[in-house]
Amino acid sequence: MLSFTNGKDIVDVSEKEVMKMVILYEIAPRSPVLCKFAIELMDNVPSYFWYESASGSGKTHPLHDLGEGGLARHSLMTYRWLKALLDGSIVDLYEYVPAMVIATLFHDCCKRGLPTQQPSEHTLFEHPLLSAKFIMDKSQEFLKNNKDFIDSTSEDEEYFKEQVAIIASCIQSHMGKWNTNKSSTEIVLPLPKNNMQYVVHLADYCSSRKFTTFDLTFFNDIFNQTNKGENK
């Protein structure tokens, strides 16, 4: 739970509500189709995503990533770091921002297993592959169930498929150079190969540093932007 101010009152908002605000604020103006898809992802992630800690041991994450809701807060801060890195980038990645935002928000969505699996007691090394699989599987369902909606926009199925492929590839490679594990020698995770993948990896890396603090002011601004009518 996070606490925001609208200038008059203190309002408690769940991590799930904050993530929805981010999606509406960041993606809706650029891609109605990806916005709808992201909200559907949010409603279908494993239930543990909203209450688990981002780190079982607490050794590699800041305090705000720990405890109930820690995994979701880590995902939100990975998005925050993405925004900071894009602001400082000399490479123009504007057209890929919606896909990269979705990748940061859902890069760890299957950290303890797919929705159909019994949640693991610890982080699964292959979670980038599982999270990408979840995205790809849900994209097929989305295409099947939202043809009329997609046709009603200026976007098309090919654009959606291209963006989903970017999202999945960024998620698969978000571990960067930490792509092997002694206890899972048969699994080698993909390394980042392009600018989008590398920036998403760095956003995740930065957000998990113990010196990172949760940028409440940044999210409070989004809260106020997305609730302008209610705050008047």
Side-chain angles (χ1 to χ4, degrees), residues 63-225:
L63 286 176
H64 61 259
D65 285 1
L66 308 181
E68 184 172 343
L71 181 55
R73 289 190 295 275
H74 164 69
S75 302
L76 289 167
M77 272 305 293
T78 302
Y79 154 71
R80 174 64 184 103
W81 271 103
L82 171 72
K83 293 287 288 181
L85 292 168
L86 289 175
D87 285 345
S89 175
I90 61 173
V91 180
D92 184 7
L93 297 173
Y94 179 83
E95 65 180 295
Y96 305 110
V97 168
M100 296 169 72
V101 169
I102 294 173
T104 56
L105 293 177
F106 297 100
H107 72 284
D108 278 347
C109 68
C110 294
K111 195 164 188 174
R112 294 177 185 254
L114 292 162
T116 55
Q117 297 174 315
Q118 181 69 25
S120 169
E121 294 183 0
H122 55 81
T123 298
L124 296 176
F125 177 69
E126 68 271 25
H127 75 272
L129 306 181
L130 297 177
S131 298
K133 173 178 168 50
F134 170 77
I135 299 289
M136 295 300 293
D137 289 349
K138 287 300 173 185
S139 73
Q140 295 302 311
E141 292 180 22
F142 183 84
L143 281 175
K144 188 183 299 182
N145 298 330
N146 291 276
K147 189 177 186 309
D148 290 343
F149 172 72
I150 295 172
D151 290 343
S152 72
T153 72
S154 60
E155 301 168 90
D156 56 33
E157 289 189 14
E158 285 309 308
Y159 169 79
F160 176 73
K161 289 177 182 177
E162 289 170 3
Q163 297 305 303
V164 169
I166 292 170
I167 296 166
S169 69
C170 288
I171 290 175
Q172 289 171 336
S173 60
H174 81 259
M175 293 295 288
K177 68 180 181 180
W178 293 279
N179 69 327
T180 59
N181 186 279
K182 291 179 181 178
S183 61
S184 304
T185 54
E186 73 282 2
I187 300 173
V188 179
L189 300 173
L191 290 167
K193 293 181 179 178
N194 58 41
N195 290 323
M196 293 89 75
Q197 294 169 8
Y198 192 58
V199 173
V200 169
H201 156 59
L202 284 180
D204 176 49
Y205 174 78
C206 291
S207 71
S208 64
R209 298 307 89 195
K210 290 186 77 70
F211 59 78
T212 296
T213 57
F214 194 86
D215 193 347
L216 196 63
T217 300
F218 174 82
F219 289 101
N220 202 141
D221 288 344
I222 293 178
F223 168 77
N224 285 325
Q225 286 292 322

Side-chain angles (χ1 to χ4, degrees), residues 49-62:
F49 178 78
W50 302 111
Y51 61 79
E52 284 285 359
S53 170
S55 172
S57 66
K59 294 179 180 178
T60 58
H61 280 260

